[in-house]
Amino acid sequence: MVEVAHDKRGKVVKGSQAEFLDLGEGEKLRILLDKSNSKVCVQELSIVEGICAPWHYREVDDDIFYVVSGQVQFGIEEDGNRKTVVANPGDLILAGPYVPRCFKALKDSCMLEINSPSGPAESFFRFMASRPKDAWPLTEQEQEHIRKEYRIHFVK
């Protein structure tokens, strides 16, 4: 008989206990769950109208966006074709590893961003929060650091 180890996790996370990051330019993030044995990271992302994430892909994690409020335009590549979709409250967008994606807030918005496994995503956001708020765009050195450290690649 083979014994199976069960992962018995249970956790209650109070919003007031979440880690808060100010990413600048009207983008704020609360890391709600990231200490889950590297299985998942849950973040609440609040963005003002016009804020965007450029085309990029991640090597490691699934990136799942659930729109809580507002309206967000997503670009995602499916079967080699890039398409754009407008996501409203209740809509969910999934981009797995190596799938290019981008987004832009069409209205002030709030999304839950879920990454599995955890690790690169929240570390990347902590890095971004540590940068000067007016230091845009990213330098080539910063992009190289992000590629190596967090395995996130910016694409055209």
Side-chain angles (χ1 to χ4, degrees), residues 79-129:
D79 302 320
N81 298 311
R82 286 186 178 177
K83 65 161 87 175
T84 301
V85 63
V86 174
N88 293 296
D91 293 345
L92 184 135
I93 304 292
L94 167 67
Y98 296 97
V99 174
R101 79 290 309 258
C102 67
F103 67 79
K104 179 178 182 179
L106 300 177
K107 298 179 179 178
D108 291 358
S109 301
C110 179
M111 300 185 289
L112 288 181
E113 182 176 1
I114 303 160
N115 300 95
S116 180
S118 68
E122 62 272 22
S123 297
F124 165 72
F125 284 121
R126 288 181 183 115
F127 167 74
M128 294 300 287

Tab-separated table of all heavy atoms in Angstrom, residues 79-129:
chain	number	residue	atom	x	y	z
A	79	ASP	N	-2.964	30.540	-30.063
A	79	ASP	CA	-2.629	29.829	-31.292
A	79	ASP	C	-1.833	30.705	-32.258
A	79	ASP	O	-2.064	30.682	-33.470
A	79	ASP	CB	-3.895	29.296	-31.973
A	79	ASP	CG	-4.684	28.363	-31.071
A	79	ASP	OD1	-4.041	27.558	-30.360
A	79	ASP	OD2	-5.916	28.454	-31.069
A	80	GLY	N	-0.912	31.506	-31.726
A	80	GLY	CA	-0.054	32.334	-32.563
A	80	GLY	C	-0.682	33.628	-33.034
A	80	GLY	O	-0.033	34.413	-33.724
A	81	ASN	N	-1.932	33.882	-32.693
A	81	ASN	CA	-2.616	35.104	-33.102
A	81	ASN	C	-2.904	35.978	-31.894
A	81	ASN	O	-3.451	35.507	-30.905
A	81	ASN	CB	-3.941	34.770	-33.805
A	81	ASN	CG	-3.729	33.964	-35.062
A	81	ASN	OD1	-2.905	34.312	-35.898
A	81	ASN	ND2	-4.463	32.871	-35.188
A	82	ARG	N	-2.555	37.248	-32.018
A	82	ARG	CA	-2.854	38.185	-30.946
A	82	ARG	C	-4.263	38.709	-31.109
A	82	ARG	O	-4.674	39.076	-32.207
A	82	ARG	CB	-1.858	39.338	-30.951
A	82	ARG	CG	-0.496	38.921	-30.438
A	82	ARG	CD	0.422	40.094	-30.305
A	82	ARG	NE	1.700	39.659	-29.757
A	82	ARG	CZ	2.737	40.456	-29.574
A	82	ARG	NH1	2.641	41.739	-29.878
A	82	ARG	NH2	3.853	39.995	-29.069
A	83	LYS	N	-4.984	38.733	-30.015
A	83	LYS	CA	-6.341	39.281	-30.038
A	83	LYS	C	-6.522	40.184	-28.837
A	83	LYS	O	-5.810	40.084	-27.835
A	83	LYS	CB	-7.392	38.186	-30.086
A	83	LYS	CG	-7.447	37.306	-28.852
A	83	LYS	CD	-8.744	36.557	-28.724
A	83	LYS	CE	-8.755	35.260	-29.445
A	83	LYS	NZ	-9.957	34.472	-29.225
A	84	THR	N	-7.501	41.060	-28.948
A	84	THR	CA	-7.827	41.999	-27.883
A	84	THR	C	-9.241	41.714	-27.415
A	84	THR	O	-10.134	41.451	-28.221
A	84	THR	CB	-7.735	43.444	-28.408
A	84	THR	OG1	-6.408	43.665	-28.884
A	84	THR	CG2	-8.040	44.441	-27.318
A	85	VAL	N	-9.430	41.763	-26.111
A	85	VAL	CA	-10.749	41.552	-25.532
A	85	VAL	C	-10.934	42.557	-24.397
A	85	VAL	O	-9.982	42.895	-23.696
A	85	VAL	CB	-10.918	40.097	-25.016
A	85	VAL	CG1	-9.940	39.792	-23.899
A	85	VAL	CG2	-12.336	39.842	-24.560
A	86	VAL	N	-12.141	43.054	-24.254
A	86	VAL	CA	-12.463	43.958	-23.145
A	86	VAL	C	-13.098	43.116	-22.045
A	86	VAL	O	-14.088	42.423	-22.272
A	86	VAL	CB	-13.413	45.085	-23.602
A	86	VAL	CG1	-13.858	45.919	-22.398
A	86	VAL	CG2	-12.719	45.968	-24.640
A	87	ALA	N	-12.480	43.158	-20.870
A	87	ALA	CA	-12.957	42.380	-19.720
A	87	ALA	C	-13.698	43.300	-18.758
A	87	ALA	O	-13.233	44.397	-18.439
A	87	ALA	CB	-11.789	41.702	-19.015
A	88	ASN	N	-14.857	42.838	-18.315
A	88	ASN	CA	-15.720	43.559	-17.389
A	88	ASN	C	-15.801	42.785	-16.075
A	88	ASN	O	-15.330	41.644	-15.994
A	88	ASN	CB	-17.109	43.708	-18.016
A	88	ASN	CG	-17.066	44.611	-19.235
A	88	ASN	OD1	-16.756	45.787	-19.122
A	88	ASN	ND2	-17.356	44.054	-20.407
A	89	PRO	N	-16.409	43.365	-15.049
A	89	PRO	CA	-16.527	42.652	-13.775
A	89	PRO	C	-17.107	41.246	-13.970
A	89	PRO	O	-18.090	41.059	-14.690
A	89	PRO	CB	-17.465	43.543	-12.957
A	89	PRO	CG	-17.166	44.922	-13.471
A	89	PRO	CD	-16.969	44.729	-14.953
A	90	GLY	N	-16.440	40.280	-13.351
A	90	GLY	CA	-16.857	38.885	-13.455
A	90	GLY	C	-16.111	38.111	-14.533
A	90	GLY	O	-16.183	36.885	-14.564
A	91	ASP	N	-15.390	38.805	-15.415
A	91	ASP	CA	-14.639	38.132	-16.477
A	91	ASP	C	-13.278	37.675	-15.965
A	91	ASP	O	-12.687	38.296	-15.077
A	91	ASP	CB	-14.440	39.053	-17.679
A	91	ASP	CG	-15.735	39.377	-18.403
A	91	ASP	OD1	-16.749	38.684	-18.165
A	91	ASP	OD2	-15.734	40.320	-19.213
A	92	LEU	N	-12.797	36.591	-16.539
A	92	LEU	CA	-11.525	35.999	-16.147
A	92	LEU	C	-10.663	35.811	-17.385
A	92	LEU	O	-11.151	35.373	-18.430
A	92	LEU	CB	-11.771	34.647	-15.472
A	92	LEU	CG	-10.544	33.954	-14.916
A	92	LEU	CD1	-10.848	33.415	-13.530
A	92	LEU	CD2	-10.122	32.807	-15.819
A	93	ILE	N	-9.383	36.127	-17.274
A	93	ILE	CA	-8.415	35.975	-18.353
A	93	ILE	C	-7.300	35.075	-17.826
A	93	ILE	O	-6.785	35.295	-16.729
A	93	ILE	CB	-7.807	37.335	-18.769
A	93	ILE	CG1	-8.886	38.329	-19.163
A	93	ILE	CG2	-6.770	37.152	-19.861
A	93	ILE	CD1	-9.639	38.009	-20.420
A	94	LEU	N	-6.903	34.079	-18.621
A	94	LEU	CA	-5.808	33.174	-18.264
A	94	LEU	C	-4.726	33.259	-19.325
A	94	LEU	O	-5.013	33.175	-20.521
A	94	LEU	CB	-6.303	31.726	-18.172
A	94	LEU	CG	-5.217	30.646	-18.124
A	94	LEU	CD1	-4.416	30.733	-16.837
A	94	LEU	CD2	-5.826	29.270	-18.300
A	95	ALA	N	-3.494	33.437	-18.879
A	95	ALA	CA	-2.333	33.380	-19.765
A	95	ALA	C	-1.309	32.489	-19.081
A	95	ALA	O	-0.812	32.805	-18.004
A	95	ALA	CB	-1.769	34.773	-20.016
A	96	GLY	N	-1.008	31.369	-19.694
A	96	GLY	CA	-0.044	30.437	-19.132
A	96	GLY	C	1.392	30.832	-19.464
A	96	GLY	O	1.632	31.862	-20.099
A	97	PRO	N	2.346	30.018	-19.040
A	97	PRO	CA	3.739	30.292	-19.357
A	97	PRO	C	3.941	30.422	-20.871
A	97	PRO	O	3.321	29.700	-21.654
A	97	PRO	CB	4.478	29.071	-18.817
A	97	PRO	CG	3.579	28.537	-17.742
A	97	PRO	CD	2.185	28.811	-18.235
A	98	TYR	N	4.778	31.377	-21.255
A	98	TYR	CA	5.161	31.638	-22.640
A	98	TYR	C	4.030	32.190	-23.502
A	98	TYR	O	4.178	32.283	-24.717
A	98	TYR	CB	5.782	30.391	-23.291
A	98	TYR	CG	7.074	29.999	-22.625
A	98	TYR	CD1	7.108	29.014	-21.654
A	98	TYR	CD2	8.262	30.644	-22.947
A	98	TYR	CE1	8.297	28.666	-21.020
A	98	TYR	CE2	9.445	30.311	-22.318
A	98	TYR	CZ	9.461	29.322	-21.352
A	98	TYR	OH	10.638	28.999	-20.728
A	99	VAL	N	2.897	32.554	-22.909
A	99	VAL	CA	1.801	33.156	-23.668
A	99	VAL	C	1.899	34.675	-23.519
A	99	VAL	O	1.719	35.199	-22.411
A	99	VAL	CB	0.419	32.666	-23.173
A	99	VAL	CG1	-0.704	33.418	-23.878
A	99	VAL	CG2	0.280	31.172	-23.372
A	100	PRO	N	2.185	35.398	-24.604
A	100	PRO	CA	2.257	36.858	-24.508
A	100	PRO	C	0.911	37.447	-24.099
A	100	PRO	O	-0.149	36.983	-24.522
A	100	PRO	CB	2.631	37.292	-25.932
A	100	PRO	CG	3.349	36.111	-26.495
A	100	PRO	CD	2.617	34.918	-25.925
A	101	ARG	N	0.990	38.490	-23.254
A	101	ARG	CA	-0.198	39.170	-22.759
A	101	ARG	C	0.137	40.621	-22.450
A	101	ARG	O	1.306	40.964	-22.239
A	101	ARG	CB	-0.780	38.467	-21.531
A	101	ARG	CG	-0.145	38.681	-20.174
A	101	ARG	CD	1.216	38.101	-19.870
A	101	ARG	NE	1.427	36.708	-20.131
A	101	ARG	CZ	1.444	35.746	-19.230
A	101	ARG	NH1	1.291	36.035	-17.965
A	101	ARG	NH2	1.678	34.511	-19.564
A	102	CYS	N	-0.889	41.458	-22.427
A	102	CYS	CA	-0.757	42.853	-22.012
A	102	CYS	C	-2.125	43.302	-21.518
A	102	CYS	O	-3.123	42.601	-21.711
A	102	CYS	CB	-0.280	43.738	-23.170
A	102	CYS	SG	-1.458	43.917	-24.524
A	103	PHE	N	-2.186	44.444	-20.857
A	103	PHE	CA	-3.486	44.988	-20.476
A	103	PHE	C	-3.412	46.490	-20.321
A	103	PHE	O	-2.339	47.069	-20.155
A	103	PHE	CB	-4.048	44.336	-19.206
A	103	PHE	CG	-3.282	44.612	-17.940
A	103	PHE	CD1	-3.437	45.811	-17.263
A	103	PHE	CD2	-2.432	43.668	-17.410
A	103	PHE	CE1	-2.747	46.067	-16.083
A	103	PHE	CE2	-1.741	43.904	-16.234
A	103	PHE	CZ	-1.899	45.111	-15.570
A	104	LYS	N	-4.607	47.107	-20.403
A	104	LYS	CA	-4.747	48.545	-20.193
A	104	LYS	C	-6.094	48.794	-19.530
A	104	LYS	O	-7.121	48.282	-19.979
A	104	LYS	CB	-4.684	49.291	-21.522
A	104	LYS	CG	-4.842	50.791	-21.372
A	104	LYS	CD	-4.735	51.492	-22.708
A	104	LYS	CE	-4.854	52.996	-22.521
A	104	LYS	NZ	-4.716	53.685	-23.810
A	105	ALA	N	-6.072	49.599	-18.468
A	105	ALA	CA	-7.314	49.942	-17.777
A	105	ALA	C	-8.082	50.973	-18.604
A	105	ALA	O	-7.572	52.056	-18.890
A	105	ALA	CB	-7.024	50.496	-16.389
A	106	LEU	N	-9.295	50.615	-19.007
A	106	LEU	CA	-10.153	51.548	-19.740
A	106	LEU	C	-10.926	52.442	-18.784
A	106	LEU	O	-11.398	53.509	-19.169
A	106	LEU	CB	-11.115	50.772	-20.649
A	106	LEU	CG	-10.441	49.880	-21.699
A	106	LEU	CD1	-11.483	49.118	-22.493
A	106	LEU	CD2	-9.526	50.691	-22.606
A	107	LYS	N	-11.073	51.982	-17.542
A	107	LYS	CA	-11.673	52.735	-16.437
A	107	LYS	C	-10.858	52.402	-15.194
A	107	LYS	O	-10.114	51.419	-15.184
A	107	LYS	CB	-13.120	52.282	-16.192
A	107	LYS	CG	-14.073	52.496	-17.327
A	107	LYS	CD	-15.454	51.965	-16.939
A	107	LYS	CE	-16.465	52.176	-18.044
A	107	LYS	NZ	-17.779	51.612	-17.681
A	108	ASP	N	-11.013	53.183	-14.140
A	108	ASP	CA	-10.409	52.792	-12.864
A	108	ASP	C	-10.907	51.377	-12.571
A	108	ASP	O	-12.110	51.110	-12.670
A	108	ASP	CB	-10.824	53.732	-11.742
A	108	ASP	CG	-10.231	55.128	-11.896
A	108	ASP	OD1	-9.466	55.364	-12.851
A	108	ASP	OD2	-10.542	55.989	-11.051
A	109	SER	N	-9.980	50.472	-12.228
A	109	SER	CA	-10.335	49.057	-12.130
A	109	SER	C	-9.671	48.384	-10.956
A	109	SER	O	-8.647	48.842	-10.440
A	109	SER	CB	-9.914	48.319	-13.412
A	109	SER	OG	-10.530	48.876	-14.552
A	110	CYS	N	-10.254	47.272	-10.567
A	110	CYS	CA	-9.681	46.402	-9.546
A	110	CYS	C	-9.747	44.977	-10.076
A	110	CYS	O	-10.781	44.547	-10.596
A	110	CYS	CB	-10.461	46.524	-8.240
A	110	CYS	SG	-9.822	45.454	-6.932
A	111	MET	N	-8.633	44.274	-9.971
A	111	MET	CA	-8.566	42.887	-10.427
A	111	MET	C	-7.904	42.039	-9.350
A	111	MET	O	-7.062	42.525	-8.599
A	111	MET	CB	-7.707	42.759	-11.693
A	111	MET	CG	-8.189	43.536	-12.876
A	111	MET	SD	-7.193	43.200	-14.352
A	111	MET	CE	-5.637	44.020	-13.964
A	112	LEU	N	-8.274	40.788	-9.306
A	112	LEU	CA	-7.494	39.809	-8.564
A	112	LEU	C	-6.550	39.183	-9.575
A	112	LEU	O	-6.969	38.783	-10.664
A	112	LEU	CB	-8.376	38.731	-7.947
A	112	LEU	CG	-9.229	39.143	-6.770
A	112	LEU	CD1	-10.031	37.950	-6.258
A	112	LEU	CD2	-8.374	39.716	-5.642
A	113	GLU	N	-5.277	39.139	-9.239
A	113	GLU	CA	-4.290	38.473	-10.076
A	113	GLU	C	-3.802	37.259	-9.298
A	113	GLU	O	-3.353	37.379	-8.160
A	113	GLU	CB	-3.122	39.391	-10.419
A	113	GLU	CG	-2.119	38.729	-11.328
A	113	GLU	CD	-0.988	39.644	-11.761
A	113	GLU	OE1	-0.947	40.819	-11.337
A	113	GLU	OE2	-0.136	39.169	-12.511
A	114	ILE	N	-3.930	36.104	-9.911
A	114	ILE	CA	-3.560	34.852	-9.267
A	114	ILE	C	-2.426	34.234	-10.081
A	114	ILE	O	-2.553	34.074	-11.295
A	114	ILE	CB	-4.773	33.900	-9.196
A	114	ILE	CG1	-5.920	34.589	-8.441
A	114	ILE	CG2	-4.388	32.576	-8.540
A	114	ILE	CD1	-7.276	33.989	-8.692
A	115	ASN	N	-1.328	33.945	-9.415
A	115	ASN	CA	-0.180	33.340	-10.076
A	115	ASN	C	0.101	31.990	-9.457
A	115	ASN	O	0.129	31.853	-8.236
A	115	ASN	CB	1.055	34.225	-9.949
A	115	ASN	CG	0.851	35.574	-10.570
A	115	ASN	OD1	0.495	36.504	-9.883
A	115	ASN	ND2	1.051	35.680	-11.862
A	116	SER	N	0.312	31.009	-10.310
A	116	SER	CA	0.645	29.675	-9.830
A	116	SER	C	1.703	29.076	-10.740
A	116	SER	O	1.521	29.040	-11.947
A	116	SER	CB	-0.606	28.795	-9.833
A	116	SER	OG	-0.294	27.508	-9.364
A	117	PRO	N	2.840	28.683	-10.175
A	117	PRO	CA	3.219	28.743	-8.762
A	117	PRO	C	3.575	30.169	-8.359
A	117	PRO	O	3.767	31.024	-9.201
A	117	PRO	CB	4.452	27.840	-8.695
A	117	PRO	CG	5.072	27.958	-10.047
A	117	PRO	CD	3.906	28.101	-11.005
A	118	SER	N	3.666	30.376	-7.058
A	118	SER	CA	4.055	31.696	-6.570
A	118	SER	C	5.568	31.823	-6.651
A	118	SER	O	6.272	30.864	-6.919
A	118	SER	CB	3.568	31.902	-5.138
A	118	SER	OG	4.256	31.041	-4.258
A	119	GLY	N	6.049	33.003	-6.395
A	119	GLY	CA	7.496	33.234	-6.392
A	119	GLY	C	7.885	34.377	-7.292
A	119	GLY	O	8.125	35.485	-6.832
A	120	PRO	N	7.936	34.138	-8.607
A	120	PRO	CA	8.406	35.211	-9.482
A	120	PRO	C	7.505	36.442	-9.478
A	120	PRO	O	7.994	37.561	-9.486
A	120	PRO	CB	8.423	34.563	-10.874
A	120	PRO	CG	8.443	33.097	-10.637
A	120	PRO	CD	7.742	32.877	-9.333
A	121	ALA	N	6.196	36.255	-9.454
A	121	ALA	CA	5.277	37.385	-9.600
A	121	ALA	C	5.400	38.378	-8.454
A	121	ALA	O	5.604	39.574	-8.666
A	121	ALA	CB	3.836	36.884	-9.722
A	122	GLU	N	5.266	37.896	-7.224
A	122	GLU	CA	5.301	38.840	-6.109
A	122	GLU	C	6.690	39.444	-5.929
A	122	GLU	O	6.835	40.605	-5.554
A	122	GLU	CB	4.772	38.225	-4.811
A	122	GLU	CG	5.538	37.057	-4.281
A	122	GLU	CD	5.080	35.713	-4.842
A	122	GLU	OE1	4.464	35.653	-5.906
A	122	GLU	OE2	5.376	34.700	-4.188
A	123	SER	N	7.736	38.676	-6.236
A	123	SER	CA	9.094	39.227	-6.173
A	123	SER	C	9.274	40.328	-7.217
A	123	SER	O	9.900	41.360	-6.952
A	123	SER	CB	10.124	38.118	-6.388
A	123	SER	OG	10.029	37.162	-5.353
A	124	PHE	N	8.716	40.128	-8.399
A	124	PHE	CA	8.766	41.147	-9.450
A	124	PHE	C	8.057	42.422	-8.984
A	124	PHE	O	8.575	43.527	-9.144
A	124	PHE	CB	8.121	40.614	-10.733
A	124	PHE	CG	7.797	41.681	-11.739
A	124	PHE	CD1	8.805	42.320	-12.442
A	124	PHE	CD2	6.486	42.044	-11.977
A	124	PHE	CE1	8.507	43.309	-13.366
A	124	PHE	CE2	6.175	43.033	-12.896
A	124	PHE	CZ	7.193	43.671	-13.595
A	125	PHE	N	6.861	42.289	-8.399
A	125	PHE	CA	6.135	43.469	-7.943
A	125	PHE	C	6.885	44.192	-6.819
A	125	PHE	O	6.877	45.415	-6.759
A	125	PHE	CB	4.715	43.110	-7.508
A	125	PHE	CG	3.796	42.872	-8.670
A	125	PHE	CD1	3.164	41.657	-8.819
A	125	PHE	CD2	3.572	43.858	-9.607
A	125	PHE	CE1	2.313	41.424	-9.893
A	125	PHE	CE2	2.730	43.648	-10.686
A	125	PHE	CZ	2.095	42.430	-10.829
A	126	ARG	N	7.544	43.448	-5.947
A	126	ARG	CA	8.341	44.098	-4.895
A	126	ARG	C	9.495	44.886	-5.518
A	126	ARG	O	9.819	45.991	-5.078
A	126	ARG	CB	8.856	43.061	-3.906
A	126	ARG	CG	7.754	42.514	-3.021
A	126	ARG	CD	8.275	41.499	-2.012
A	126	ARG	NE	7.173	40.960	-1.239
A	126	ARG	CZ	6.780	39.682	-1.278
A	126	ARG	NH1	7.424	38.804	-2.037
A	126	ARG	NH2	5.757	39.275	-0.563
A	127	PHE	N	10.119	44.320	-6.551
A	127	PHE	CA	11.185	45.032	-7.259
A	127	PHE	C	10.637	46.319	-7.879
A	127	PHE	O	11.225	47.385	-7.753
A	127	PHE	CB	11.802	44.141	-8.338
A	127	PHE	CG	12.677	44.893	-9.301
A	127	PHE	CD1	13.936	45.331	-8.923
A	127	PHE	CD2	12.232	45.183	-10.586
A	127	PHE	CE1	14.731	46.053	-9.808
A	127	PHE	CE2	13.020	45.890	-11.471
A	127	PHE	CZ	14.277	46.331	-11.080
A	128	MET	N	9.483	46.216	-8.546
A	128	MET	CA	8.899	47.391	-9.204
A	128	MET	C	8.542	48.473	-8.179
A	128	MET	O	8.718	49.653	-8.447
A	128	MET	CB	7.676	46.998	-10.030
A	128	MET	CG	7.994	46.094	-11.221
A	128	MET	SD	9.145	46.826	-12.406
A	128	MET	CE	8.081	48.040	-13.165
A	129	ALA	N	8.062	48.066	-7.018
A	129	ALA	CA	7.700	49.031	-5.979
A	129	ALA	C	8.935	49.720	-5.396
A	129	ALA	O	8.839	50.832	-4.871
A	129	ALA	CB	6.907	48.349	-4.867
